[in-house]
Structures are given as C-alpha cells and as structure tokens.
Amino acid sequence: MGGDMMEDDWEFASSSNPNRTLVLVGRTGNGKSATGNSILGKKTFKSKASSRGVTSTSELRRVVQEDGQIINVIDTPGLFDLSTAAEFIGKEIVRCITLAEGGIHAVLLVFTVRGRPTDEEQSVLYHLQTLFGSKISDYMIIVFTGGDDLEDNDETLEDYLGQECPEFLKEILELCDNRMVLFDNKTANKRKKAEQVQKLLSLVDSVARKNNGKPFTDELFHELQEEAIKLRDQKKEVESLKGYSKSEIFEFKKQIEISYDRQLSRITEMVETKLKETAKRLEKQLGEEQAARLEAEERANEVQKRSSDEIKKLRENLERAEKETKELQKKLGKCINL
Ligand SMILES: Nc1nc2c(ncn2[C@@H]2O[C@H](COP(=O)(O)OP(=O)(O)OP(=O)(O)O)[C@@H](O)[C@H]2O)c(=O)[nH]1
C-alpha cells in the first residue's frame, strides 16, 4: 500500500470512506504481526519466528491511505492459545476494547497454511462467541498467511483447504460466509502486496455493508466506554474546582483514578469468569473428541484384525478343500485303473 501518510497526520485526514478498525487474532506464530505490517505497508509490529510468542500485549497502529481513509490495526498476543491464562486474556480483552474506542469493523482470524490448523485453534471461535455473542461472526474474516509456501508447492488455497481443512475451520468459514483472503507476508512484489491488502479491504467493506455500516460494539464496549468518559469528565471537573490547593486537586484526581481502576478490575474479572467457563467446556469437548477418535481407531483395528483372522481361516479352509480334492482325485484315479 504505497503513499501512506505519517501517523501524526491522521487527525487532519478526511475521506469519503469511513475509518476502519481491524483486530488481528489467532494462535501465536500464525503471522498476525506480519499481516498487520502488510496492511499498514510498513514494518511496525514486531514479527519473527519464536515458539514463545513475540507480541506480549495488544497494540494499535494506524495508517492513513491516499484518499484519507484511516485504517486502525490492533495486533494481539496469542490470546486464545490453550496455554494462556484467563487472567491475562481478561486484561488483554479489556485493553483491546479500550483501544478500539469506536468499535470494531472486522475481526481478522489469522491461520497459517504453513502447517495444518490444530484442533486447539477452534478455541478462537469459542472464546469470541462466549465473550461477544454469535453476532461476532458477522464481523469475521479469515486471513491465511504463508501464500508463498503454497506457491512454492504449486498449490492454491482451494487445494490446501480441500486436503487439510478440519471440520471446525469449515464451520468458521461457513459462519463468516466464506470471507477469506490469502496473504504472502514475505513478498517484495509491490503489486502483489497492494492486491492482497485491497482484497482484504474490500472484504471489510462487504462486512460493513452487511452490518449497515455499524462497527461491532456490545454491552462490554458500552460499559468500558462509559467508564472512560466518566473518568475524563470527573478529571475535568476537578481541574476546574476553585479554592483548592494543588495537592488537594492531586489527591482528588488520585481518588478518581482509583475508582476507575476498581471498575476496570470488576469488568476484567467478569470477562475472566466467562473465559474460564469456556476453557473448561472446550477442554471437555476436546477430551471427548479425542476419546471418540481413539475408540474409532480401536474399532477400525479390531475390524481389520477380525477380517485378517477371517481371511486366514478362509485360506485354511481352501487349502484343506484343495487337499481333500487332490486325495479324492487320487482315489478316483485308482478306482478307474482297477
Ligand atoms: N513464509 C512466510 N512466513 C510468514 C508469513 N507470515 C508470517 N510469517 C512468519 O511467521 C513467523 C511468525 O510471524 P508473526 O507475525 O510474528 O506471528 P504472530 O502471530 O504475530 O506471533 P506472536 O506475535 O508471537 O503472537 C515469523 O517468522 C514470520 O516471518 C508468510 O506469509 N510467509
């Protein structure tokens, strides 16, 4: 995406296209930060190979396009990896919503084609639906990274999905009306870079049309927004107080911030409780799925064993019958010769 303006210019930008806020979610290492950088057209988010995760907290960066449209991109850590603690996710979700002040125009679910999606990746959908309700799927777009790897193997995304698509991914794709885009975050080809971002932004436009231009918000957003507005108004009020010393004003402000932090902690705890419930349900479901898979494997092995036993028995019967036939023929030959 060439010709973007400096970040500081965004306040003066104007466009016939409304601003967009996009949130990247997905497993650690799937390429969220690299995709964020591709969208922004510059290397802003830290992106590198690491099993421990590079992004430690959600960050917002923005780009102003040539026509003045502002694209806000929020990069998140691997929020819904099964190893991530609910306490951490809770805080990050609250941070993320606070960053996305005006609501979210699209949630980009990032998967990589440089390997098979793991079963635990279905937790992304589970958690998003628990936190934000089923309406969130109207805002979801699937981003597959690793387009260069597919090209190297002479494969298309359709080929990949035909061979490697687990059931949960099919369900996610269906839920979001097959809105998907393939990214090659390694390409140096300017045209390819621009085309993949344009494809994504046109999917974001189709999401906006589907939702009558309204970004995603819910009670959680409203509650956090109200708290932020209350904090700002109360601080302003304190600043305009007359007849108080500087240290008294400082103390008033401190009290207001303590009360705000308390509200944030309450909301964070609420989110954590929801997440813990989902994690438990998901763990149970994954356990059941694994047990069912093991049972099916055992049954298949048994059938195979049974059929090989039967084949052995049949072969023995056949050999016995052949032997008997030969003996009969011998006897018959003797009789004829007599
Ligand atoms: N070949 C190839 N590598 C990619 C692509 N996208 C990302 N990567 C690589 O994948 C690794 C992980 O990418 P990140 O962008 O750091 O992944 P992330 O999801 O942000 O990971 P965390 O920040 O740790 O949660 C890096 O080495 C990237 O260079 C791609 O399209 N093609």
Side-chain angles (χ1 to χ4, degrees):
M1 203 166 35
D4 51 280
M5 294 154 79
M6 295 295 287
E7 266 181 52
D8 296 340
D9 296 339
W10 72 274
E11 281 173 39
F12 308 105
S14 68
S15 165
S16 52
N17 284 336
N19 303 347
R20 303 284 191 220
T21 299
L22 318 176
V23 182
L24 293 151
V25 293
R27 190 180 54 165
T28 297
N30 273 4
K32 299 177 292 295
S33 308
T35 304
N37 290 336
S38 294
I39 300 170
L40 295 164
K42 52 191 165 191
K43 200 168 181 327
T44 315
F45 296 120
K46 229 190 271 169
S47 163
K48 61 177 183 179
S50 157
S51 55
R52 282 177 52 234
V54 182
T55 310
S56 55
T57 188
S58 305
E59 297 289 351
L60 181 144
R61 300 278 184 273
R62 55 173 51 103
V63 67
V64 185
Q65 292 194 289
E66 276 168 357
D67 68 353
Q69 184 183 34
I70 295 168
I71 311 282
N72 294 313
V73 180
I74 300 178
D75 188 19
T76 64
L79 286 182
F80 306 124
D81 298 358
L82 284 185
S83 56
T84 311
E87 288 76 12
F88 174 76
I89 312 177
K91 285 197 186 79
E92 278 303 313
I93 294 287
V94 167
R95 178 175 164 81
C96 217
I97 297 176
T98 315
L99 286 171
E101 290 171 287
I104 293 169
H105 295 90
V107 180
L108 310 182
L109 262 56
V110 182
F111 291 93
T112 177
V113 297
R114 299 165 68 224
R116 198 177 180 277
T118 61
D119 277 351
E120 79 169 67
E121 285 191 79
Q122 57 188 292
S123 68
V124 170
L125 179 66
Y126 256 71
H127 281 122
L128 286 176
Q129 285 183 332
T130 309
L131 286 172
F132 304 113
S134 56
K135 183 97 183 84
I136 195 70
S137 47
D138 291 343
Y139 291 84
M140 290 184 332
I141 295 172
I142 314 297
V143 175
F144 289 100
T145 66
D148 47 329
D149 266 32
L150 281 189
E151 253 174 51
D152 289 348
N153 298 332
D154 280 330
E155 266 189 308
T156 62
L157 184 57
E158 285 67 31
D159 294 335
Y160 171 83
L161 290 175
Q163 304 149 16
E164 313 256 357
C165 196
E167 279 308 310
F168 79 85
L169 193 51
K170 280 188 199 152
E171 190 194 335
I172 296 180
L173 282 167
E174 207 172 302
L175 271 176
C176 61
D177 292 336
N178 281 312
R179 288 184 293 271
M180 61 176 135
V181 56
L182 179 65
F183 264 72
D184 169 359
N185 292 313
K186 293 284 182 191
T187 187
N189 181 327
K190 280 191 180 163
R191 191 170 157 181
K192 190 177 182 190
K193 278 185 186 188
E195 275 173 4
Q196 53 195 22
V197 174
Q198 274 323 310
K199 176 154 188 212
L200 172 70
L201 293 181
S202 69
L203 287 174
V204 174
D205 282 343
S206 77
V207 164
R209 278 195 300 278
K210 185 181 169 86
N211 297 299
N212 300 319
K214 287 199 193 100
F216 181 85
T217 54
D218 67 353
E219 286 153 43
L220 204 58
F221 274 81
H222 295 313
E223 213 172 324
L224 283 165
Q225 258 166 4
E226 271 169 27
E227 291 301 333
I229 293 169
K230 207 160 86 187
L231 174 76
R232 198 188 52 208
D233 291 351
Q234 285 179 337
K235 272 188 174 174
K236 256 192 208 159
E237 214 176 295
V238 167
E239 270 161 18
S240 61
L241 284 176
K242 300 268 182 286
Y244 290 92
S245 69
K246 262 191 179 172
S247 62
E248 278 170 325
I249 300 274
F250 180 77
E251 193 52 39
F252 287 150
K253 276 195 188 167
K254 215 166 100 185
Q255 287 308 319
I256 291 169
E257 264 164 23
I258 289 174
S259 143
Y260 174 69
D261 286 345
R262 217 174 279 142
Q263 291 309 320
L264 277 199
S265 302
R266 179 185 57 79
I267 298 172
T268 308
E269 267 169 38
M270 207 173 66
V271 173
E272 278 167 22
T273 312
K274 269 190 180 185
L275 288 167
K276 278 182 186 156
E277 280 166 20
T278 322
K280 244 191 236 162
R281 243 188 307 138
L282 182 66
E283 217 171 295
K284 190 167 166 249
Q285 191 192 317
L286 284 177
E288 281 169 4
E289 277 173 12
Q290 200 181 1
R293 240 194 329 263
L294 280 178
E295 202 186 309
E297 264 170 37
E298 265 170 32
R299 219 176 300 139
N301 284 342
E302 214 171 282
V303 168
Q304 205 180 355
K305 189 168 170 277
R306 208 180 306 144
S307 54
S308 56
D309 282 352
E310 275 164 15
I311 290 172
K312 199 173 151 205
K313 220 178 274 167
L314 272 175
R315 198 171 290 140
E316 281 170 3
N317 285 346
L318 199 68
E319 278 169 5
R320 201 177 313 126
E322 272 173 6
K323 211 169 144 193
E324 282 171 5
T325 314
K326 269 185 198 154
E327 273 168 17
L328 260 176
Q329 277 171 342
K330 235 192 241 169
K331 274 183 196 162
L332 212 60
K334 272 185 196 163
C335 281
I336 292 169
N337 287 337
L338 272 178

